[in-house]
Amino acid sequence: QVQLVESGGGLVQAGGSLRLSCAASGRTFSSYAVGWFRQAPGKEREFLGAISWRGESTYYVDSVKGRFTISRDNAENTVHLQMNSLKPESTAVYYCAASKCCADEAAADYDYWGQGTQVTVSS
C-alpha cells in the first residue's frame, strides 16, 4: 500500500515558478514509477510527465518539455515537479500517481493517487 500527499501548490504570476512535492508512505515506494497529472475545471485529466522507479528516466509531454522537471529522492520517499515559466492555462489541480508497471501517460496504469494540490497562475 502506498499513500501519496502532494504539496507546494499556490498562487503564482505568469512566468513564475513553483515546486510541487509528492510525499509517499510505504516501504515499497522506491519500486514505483511516478507520474504527474493535472486537471483544470471542466477539462479532462492531463498527463504531464513521469519518472522511472530508479529515477534514471523521465518522460514529458511536449507542452511542458523544457519548462517542467521531475526528480525523485527515494531515500526521502519524495518526488518533485519543478515548474518554470508558468502560464495562466497551467491553472489546475495537480496530482501525483504511482505505478508498479510503467512510467507512462496511461492513467489506468497508475495504482495510487494523491488528493491533489491547487495551482493557480494569474495573468
Side-chain angles (χ1 to χ4, degrees), residues 8-12 18 20 83 86 90-94 117-121:
L11 175 64
V12 64
L18 278 176
L20 305 185
M83 305 187 294
L86 284 164
S90 303
T91 296
V93 177
Y94 284 68
T117 185
Q118 176 70 46
V119 171
T120 302
V121 184

Side-chain angles (χ1 to χ4, degrees), residues 5-10 20-21 36-38 83 92-96 114-120:
V5 178
E6 302 93 337
S7 62
L20 305 185
S21 296
W36 284 94
F37 295 76
R38 68 186 177 193
M83 305 187 294
V93 177
Y94 284 68
Y95 300 88
C96 64
Q115 83 290 345
T117 185
Q118 176 70 46
V119 171
T120 302

Side-chain angles (χ1 to χ4, degrees), residues 10-18 38 40 43 61-68 83-92 94 118-123:
L11 175 64
V12 64
Q13 288 189 330
S17 298
L18 278 176
R38 68 186 177 193
K43 295 189 176 181
V61 294
D62 287 345
S63 61
V64 306
K65 200 173 293 183
R67 297 189 300 118
F68 289 12
M83 305 187 294
N84 299 326
S85 302
L86 284 164
K87 306 174 182 180
E89 53 264 40
S90 303
T91 296
Y94 284 68
Q118 176 70 46
V119 171
T120 302
V121 184
S122 63
S123 57

Side-chain angles (χ1 to χ4, degrees), residues 11-73:
L11 175 64
V12 64
Q13 288 189 330
S17 298
L18 278 176
R19 187 188 194 213
L20 305 185
S21 296
C22 174
S25 63
R27 292 181 298 169
T28 62
F29 176 68
S30 60
S31 63
Y32 284 78
V34 174
W36 284 94
F37 295 76
R38 68 186 177 193
Q39 187 165 21
K43 295 189 176 181
E44 294 187 354
R45 183 170 46 195
E46 175 188 14
F47 172 78
L48 301 174
I51 188 166
S52 60
W53 67 274
R54 286 190 298 180
E56 80 281 12
S57 298
T58 52
Y59 168 52
Y60 304 95
V61 294
D62 287 345
S63 61
V64 306
K65 200 173 293 183
R67 297 189 300 118
F68 289 12
T69 303
I70 301 172
S71 61
R72 72 186 297 162
D73 183 344

